[in-house]
Each structure stands twice: as structure tokens, then as C-alpha cells.
Amino acid sequence: MKNILLPLNILLLLAVAVLFYLHFSQGKPGASLPKAAVTGDSAKASPSLRIAYVDLDSIQEKYDYYKEKMNDFERKKENADRDLNNAFQKIENERVAFVQKGQSITQVEAENFQREYTRKMQNLENQKRNLENSIQQEGVKTMEELKKKINEFLDQYNQSRGYSYIFSYSSNINMLFYKDTALNITNEVIQGLNEAYNK
């Protein structure tokens, strides 16, 4: 499950890095602003910088949509593993039964069986590889859907809150060296996401 979150976390990490660069690359506050921007009424009208963050670990733990998707995902993975194990066991049972014939096996029978056994094992390996790719693609798609739902919700949520930046935080990729828990809006976001999902 953590491997699935890696692309989302990397994307969010890059976004945070860009925002930090843009914010701190301007030097001293007001140094690069024209005089008209810092004098008179425009200085009073400029909005204050408001920042909040969302804890992704908590969203994974408490967001109903995410939990449901991950349960479906795990169920599919377990079913696929069980099917592959059953297929492998069937091929292995055929091999054991063939070997038990012992001395009565002719050279031609042994060669034919070996060729057929190798073909079945290769097919099984291909099936396993295709299944793993399919599961990985589904995981990436789920993460993209999750990110889209969070972004759509935050667009609506922030219309009445007026944050300048809403960062994400995860214990896996920690770009925030310090976080003031007063800026944590995770519970509000989870509540809103769950309400929207349950509708």
C-alpha cells in the first residue's frame, strides 16, 4: 500500500519544493516590489499569507472512500494470489505424479512432459507479471482519483477559508521541518470528504 502512495507523495513533494523556492527566492519582503505596490491603499488591501496543512496519513486512515478502495484492492490482490497459487500447485502436482511413475517413463515421455511443464510454468509467470502490472495500474489510478477528490474538495473548502497555501504532510516524505498543529485542517477535510462521499 505504501508503494502505491509513492507517486502521489513524490508529486506532492515536488509541489512543496516549488512553492518553497518561489516563496524564498524573492529575497527580503518588499525588496523586489515596486514602490506603488507597498505604499498607499494597495498595501492595506494586500491579503495576509494564510497557510494550513493536511496530514495524508490521517486521510488514509479515516477517509471512507480511501479505506473502501484499499479494501477492494487488497481483496483483488488476495484473490489473484490465491488463483496463481492454485494454478502453480496444480502444475506441481502433475510433475510429482509424473515423477512417481519412475522407471516406466520413456525418454520421449520425459522430454514431452518437460517441454509441456516448462510451457505451463512460463505461461503462469506471464500471467503473474500481467496481474501484477494490472494491480499496479489500478493502484496508480486509485491514487489519482484520491488526489482529484481531495483537490476538488479543497477548492470548495478554501472558498470560505481563504488560505494562500494548503500543504500536505506525510510521515513517509516529510518536507515540513516544523508544523504548528493549530494549522492542521485534516479533521475538517476528512469530515467534508466523508460527507461528500457518503452522499
Side-chain angles (χ1 to χ4, degrees):
M1 186 165 66
K2 289 183 179 178
N3 290 339
I4 295 169
L5 293 176
L6 188 60
L8 177 64
N9 286 333
I10 289 171
L11 183 65
L12 293 172
L13 175 66
L14 290 173
V16 168
V18 168
L19 290 173
F20 269 73
Y21 172 77
L22 292 174
H23 181 71
F24 292 113
S25 67
Q26 296 178 3
K28 294 180 182 175
S32 61
L33 295 175
K35 286 187 179 183
V38 292
T39 59
D41 293 335
S42 62
K44 295 174 186 172
S46 64
S48 62
L49 183 66
R50 293 193 66 214
I51 297 175
Y53 73 92
V54 176
D55 188 329
L56 292 178
D57 299 330
S58 294
I59 286 181
Q60 291 171 16
E61 185 180 319
K62 298 175 183 174
Y63 182 23
D64 293 337
Y65 168 81
Y66 180 82
K67 290 192 295 186
E68 190 174 301
K69 283 289 188 180
M70 285 299 107
N71 287 338
D72 289 346
F73 186 74
E74 286 299 318
R75 213 173 302 118
K76 285 179 183 176
K77 189 174 179 299
E78 286 171 8
N79 290 339
D81 286 344
R82 186 172 47 253
D83 291 347
L84 284 172
N85 286 337
N86 289 342
F88 175 78
Q89 192 60 50
K90 182 180 176 187
I91 295 171
E92 188 59 20
N93 290 344
E94 289 173 4
R95 187 191 68 79
V96 169
F98 182 78
V99 168
Q100 285 177 346
K101 291 181 182 178
Q103 299 294 333
S104 65
I105 300 172
T106 67
Q107 180 69 26
V108 173
E109 287 176 329
E111 289 172 0
N112 287 341
F113 180 82
Q114 183 62 39
R115 195 167 28 254
E116 186 65 16
Y117 177 80
T118 303
R119 184 188 66 76
K120 287 179 180 179
M121 289 301 286
Q122 285 174 344
N123 286 344
L124 198 57
E125 282 298 320
N126 290 339
Q127 185 180 350
K128 180 182 177 187
R129 204 168 17 256
N130 291 339
L131 214 55
E132 286 171 350
N133 287 340
S134 172
I135 288 172
Q136 186 176 10
Q137 287 171 358
E138 188 176 337
V140 169
K141 184 181 174 189
T142 299
M143 291 291 88
E144 288 171 356
E145 288 174 9
L146 175 66
K147 183 176 178 271
K148 182 181 176 192
K149 283 183 178 295
I150 291 172
N151 285 340
E152 287 172 353
F153 175 78
L154 287 176
D155 282 343
Q156 292 289 322
Y157 173 87
N158 200 39
Q159 286 177 4
S160 62
R161 304 309 195 284
Y163 289 109
S164 303
Y165 297 102
I166 298 177
F167 293 102
S168 63
Y169 167 81
S170 172
S171 58
N172 295 332
I173 298 179
N174 188 359
M175 265 305 287
L176 299 177
F177 295 108
Y178 173 78
K179 58 186 188 342
D180 182 349
T181 54
L183 304 175
N184 187 353
I185 59 171
T186 308
N187 288 335
E188 291 175 55
V189 171
I190 291 171
Q191 182 181 350
L193 285 167
N194 282 333
E195 287 171 4
Y197 176 64
N198 290 328
K199 285 179 185 174

